[in-house]
Amino acid sequence: MKKLTLVLASALLLSLPGLPAAVHADSTLPDDRFALKGLKQAHAIFDVRLAELDKLLFNLKLIKETWEGINSQKVKPTLIVSLRGPAVKLFTQDQAVPELKELLTDLKQKGIRIEICSVATRIFKVDNRQLLPHLILVGNVLTSQIAWQNKGYALITLN
């Protein structure tokens, strides 16, 4: 009887308009509604400088999952991946593994912009002509990050 009363009281509270659903640490269902409430769009730029392939792939998959999670909750995600540092060496025709190429294609199909830094390609001796398709070569991703942040994009650093 006590459980039934608790369930009914919870259902009543959750049905009240304007109140966000309470999600507790013991909940098994993920829910971002509270954070996304009132948003029609979400803008973020991901600063990626990982040079270890396994970590890079993990984080690019996380960005893809983030896009899918936001999109599935009826908020339009506009995301940018900003590649810099030694990570740029992994994005050439001869260095990129098939999984990375497929992941970049998936990100591009979702409309995710993927920028790569020409300062980093110069410093790490990457031939820009060998860069993978889907990458947008920018002069300096730090300049780009400053500009995107000034346009309202949240900066997310992945290391």
Side-chain angles (χ1 to χ4, degrees):
M1 182 69 172
K2 206 176 202 180
K3 281 188 177 182
L4 179 60
T5 304
L6 183 60
V7 169
L8 291 174
S10 296
L12 176 64
L13 284 174
L14 293 175
S15 67
L16 293 174
L19 289 180
V23 177
H24 302 283
D26 61 348
S27 174
T28 58
L29 298 175
D31 187 347
D32 300 313
R33 286 182 295 172
F34 186 77
L36 294 172
K37 185 175 174 76
L39 291 179
K40 299 224 183 291
Q41 298 181 26
H43 300 85
I45 183 165
F46 294 86
D47 180 22
V48 178
R49 51 189 167 196
L50 300 156
E52 297 171 48
L53 182 60
D54 58 334
K55 290 180 182 178
L56 174 68
L57 291 171
F58 174 83
N59 280 287
L60 291 175
K61 289 175 189 175
L62 183 58
I63 292 168
K64 178 182 172 184
E65 185 176 329
T66 300
W67 186 96
E68 291 167 347
I70 294 170
N71 190 59
S72 72
Q73 295 178 79
K74 311 251 186 302
V75 175
K76 181 182 183 229
T78 304
L79 306 181
I80 301 167
V81 175
S82 178
L83 303 170
R84 66 183 180 107
V88 300
K89 296 186 283 187
L90 301 172
F91 292 89
T92 61
Q93 297 290 345
D94 60 338
Q95 293 295 316
V97 298
E99 185 178 3
L100 177 60
K101 292 176 181 180
E102 291 171 25
L103 192 50
L104 291 175
T105 298
D106 287 348
L107 295 174
K108 179 68 175 173
Q109 287 174 345
K110 292 182 179 326
I112 297 173
R113 180 180 173 90
I114 307 163
E115 296 183 348
I116 192 164
C117 182
S118 68
V119 173
T121 60
R122 176 176 40 88
I123 290 170
F124 293 101
K125 298 178 179 30
V126 172
D127 182 353
N128 292 336
R129 295 171 297 194
Q130 293 301 312
L131 292 173
L132 295 172
H134 309 311
L135 301 177
I136 299 165
L137 184 65
V138 297
N140 183 332
V141 295
L142 298 179
T143 301
S144 184
Q145 288 177 10
I146 291 167
W148 289 115
Q149 286 178 77
N150 277 280
K151 293 177 182 178
Y153 283 69
L155 177 64
I156 311 296
T157 301
L158 300 175
N159 292 319

